[in-house]
């Protein structure tokens, strides 16, 4: 817990924490109050992985969190197989260290086994056929990594009367798989190709794991939090019973709604006296996605505004700790333009801070291209 700035001592048991206190605690634990000197692998483990449906998102997220972060630092640990991309929390793609994959995968396996039969693909399969499909998929992927399209085609050759996409997705959800490089490598990423996890990382996956340690890791990175928050981050069921078992070893607060907030013992709560710095976040950033009640970092009306019909999220800008704008980059004719759209009118100070941080982001993302930051007028 040495990544906090202006930390106060632990608040007394039962203290009601304000929204601003929860905001500042989240920013501190997410390394968004000041850039950390952590190594990339340490940061990934501190954050319990980074959501990564969009392969470039973890690079942007780490740039906003770490001192002097360079893209090749993350690419290298992926190429060295020290970090992998896999379906984990919420059944979504996360980038995690191999050490964390071995902890998280056995816990999240129950989530995948519960969710897949309810999907459209799962409903199209006879449950009695699933074991032999998984065995065939394991054999095929043991020979060579495959895309889901290629795996579906090979499975269809064996069982032409079954849904090929459903069979491939059963293998994807129900076997421990990872996406292999160059997927996720900066400037070289291509379509997702999957391999048997144990083969790719060269280590056996534990047969079982309890969620206790995983939920403690969540609280250290995202707390204080409610049981509903823990469920929203993990996708797991039965979280309430696990928390009740751990209660003697947790600090308990309340939020302004009177709900119980749980936290790891000894985690300080930063004192939110000074404004938080401007930070640019990618669309899929767990700082925005890991609570049932996300108002500690984004107003409900803004949360709806950043979603899109295709399931993606617009990239966002934090101003004094809260989402205040969206951003995107357009590259044309050798020039990169960063366009920022605030939700409301900006103060001159905030405008200048966004401009300055935007310039730094463009240097990171656009390399030697000429670039420009354009901030639209806040429409309110």
């Amino acid at each position: 817990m040495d990544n906090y700035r202006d930390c106060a001592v632990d608040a007394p048991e039962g203290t009601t924490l304000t929204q601003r206190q929860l905001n500042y605690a989240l920013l501190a634990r997410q390394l968004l109050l000041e850039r950390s000197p952590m190594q990339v692998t340490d940061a990934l483990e501190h954050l319990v992985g980074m959501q990564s449906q969009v392969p470039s998102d973890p690079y942007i997220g780490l740039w906003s969190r770490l001192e002097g972060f360079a893209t090749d630092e993350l690419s290298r640990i992926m190429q060295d197989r020290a970090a992998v991309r896999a379906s984990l929390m919420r059944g979504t793609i996360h980038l995690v260290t191999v050490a964390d994959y071995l902890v998280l995968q056995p816990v999240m396996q129950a989530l995948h086994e519960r969710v897949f039969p309810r999907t459209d693909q799962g409903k199209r399969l006879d449950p009695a056929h699933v074991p032999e499909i998984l065995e065939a998929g394991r054999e095929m992927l043991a020979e060579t990594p495959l895309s889901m399209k290629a795996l579906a085609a090979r499975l269809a050759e064996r069982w032409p009367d079954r849904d090929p996409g459903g069979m491939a997705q059963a293998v994807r959800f129900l076997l421990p798989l990872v996406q292999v490089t160059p997927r996720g490598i900066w400037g070289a990423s291509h379509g997702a190709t999957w391999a048997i996890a144990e083969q790719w990382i060269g280590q056996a996956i534990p047969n079982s794991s309890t969620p206790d340690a995983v939920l403690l890791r969540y609280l250290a990175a995202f707390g204080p939090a409610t049981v509903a928050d823990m469920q929203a981050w993990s996708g797991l069921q039965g979280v309430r019973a696990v928390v009740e078992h751990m209660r003697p070893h947790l600090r308990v607060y309340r939020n302004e709604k009177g709900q119980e907030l749980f936290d790891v013992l000894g985690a300080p709560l930063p004192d939110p006296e000074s404004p938080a710095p401007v930070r640019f976040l990618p669309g899929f950033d767990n700082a925005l996605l890991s609570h049932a009640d996300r108002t500690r970092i984004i107003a409900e009306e803004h949360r709806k505004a950043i979603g899109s019909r295709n399931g993606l999220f617009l990239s966002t800008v934090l101003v004094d700790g809260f989402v205040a704008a969206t951003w995107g980059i357009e590259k044309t004719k050798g020039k990169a333009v960063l366009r920022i759209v605030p939700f409301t009118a900006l103060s001159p100070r905030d405008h200048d801070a966004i401009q300055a941080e935007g310039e730094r982001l463009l240097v990171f993302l656009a390399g030697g291209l000429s670039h420009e930051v354009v901030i639209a007028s806040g429409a309110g």
Side-chain angles (χ1 to χ4, degrees), residues 45-357:
E45 292 185 352
H46 172 81
L47 298 167
V48 204
M50 303 187 78
Q51 195 159 337
S52 189
Q53 280 96 317
V54 178
S56 61
D57 278 3
Y59 291 88
I60 298 168
L62 289 172
W63 175 83
S64 285
R65 289 171 165 90
L66 301 182
E67 290 179 359
F69 172 74
T71 56
D72 62 352
E73 297 177 70
L74 179 55
S75 292
R76 183 170 57 253
I77 66 171
M78 296 177 67
Q79 290 168 323
D80 291 344
R81 306 191 187 188
V84 292
R85 295 164 47 83
S87 180
L88 292 168
M89 285 73 74
R90 305 184 295 281
T92 57
I93 300 299
H94 276 70
L95 173 65
V96 298
T97 66
V98 165
D100 265 359
Y101 179 79
L102 296 174
V103 171
L104 294 166
Q105 196 283 328
V107 175
M108 299 304 161
Q109 183 67 24
L111 161 69
H112 289 75
E113 292 174 356
R114 185 185 84 247
V115 170
F116 177 72
R118 303 176 186 176
T119 65
D120 290 341
Q121 296 99 330
K123 292 175 181 177
R124 293 197 292 266
L125 292 181
D126 184 338
H129 293 158
V130 170
E132 62 183 0
I133 292 170
L134 297 184
E135 184 58 32
R138 184 186 296 276
E139 293 174 1
M140 293 171 184
L141 291 172
E143 295 174 4
T144 184
L146 296 169
S147 67
M148 284 295 104
K149 182 178 180 180
L151 178 61
R154 291 194 59 179
L155 290 167
E157 291 174 1
R158 187 171 300 192
W159 294 292
D161 58 334
R162 300 178 189 174
D163 178 64
M167 289 191 290
Q169 288 302 318
V171 175
R172 176 197 181 287
F173 270 91
L174 301 178
L175 290 183
L177 305 182
V178 296
Q179 292 184 0
V180 305
T181 54
R183 181 68 168 174
I185 300 301
W186 186 260
S189 186
H190 65 32
T193 304
W194 298 82
I196 301 296
E198 291 185 337
Q199 280 188 308
W200 183 254
I201 65 179
Q203 297 186 58
I205 298 171
N207 291 327
S208 62
S209 182
T210 61
D212 305 47
V214 171
L215 293 178
L216 288 174
R217 294 274 304 282
Y218 166 78
L219 291 176
F222 296 93
T226 64
V227 168
D229 292 330
M230 295 181 229
Q231 290 174 326
W233 170 77
S234 65
L236 296 173
Q237 290 186 326
V239 173
R240 168 64 68 181
V242 177
V243 172
E244 289 301 328
H245 172 72
M246 296 193 299
R247 183 184 285 268
H249 308 290
L250 298 174
R251 179 78 72 181
V252 184
Y253 306 110
R254 291 193 178 274
N255 61 21
E256 292 175 313
K257 298 177 183 178
Q259 298 168 318
E260 284 190 314
L261 296 166
F262 298 92
D263 204 4
V264 290
L265 296 176
L269 297 171
D271 187 3
E273 291 185 351
S274 59
V278 166
R279 290 290 184 260
F280 283 77
L281 297 181
F284 288 104
D285 193 290
N286 277 339
L288 302 180
L289 303 174
S290 299
H291 297 84
D293 181 355
R294 302 175 188 174
T295 56
R296 70 179 64 196
I297 194 169
I298 181 170
E300 192 61 31
E301 63 269 25
H302 298 160
R303 174 182 172 180
K304 295 175 182 177
I306 67 172
S308 64
R309 294 179 181 177
N310 59 3
L312 299 177
F313 292 91
L314 298 175
S315 300
T316 56
V317 185
L318 301 182
V319 176
D320 195 19
F322 291 91
V323 173
T326 61
W327 66 272
I329 292 180
E330 303 168 4
K331 295 182 180 179
T332 56
K333 298 180 180 180
K335 183 177 183 178
V337 178
L338 172 61
R339 298 191 182 277
I340 298 161
V341 181
F343 295 133
T344 59
L346 299 170
S347 70
R349 178 178 178 177
D350 290 339
H351 185 284
D352 291 346
I354 291 175
Q355 180 82 29
E357 187 72 356

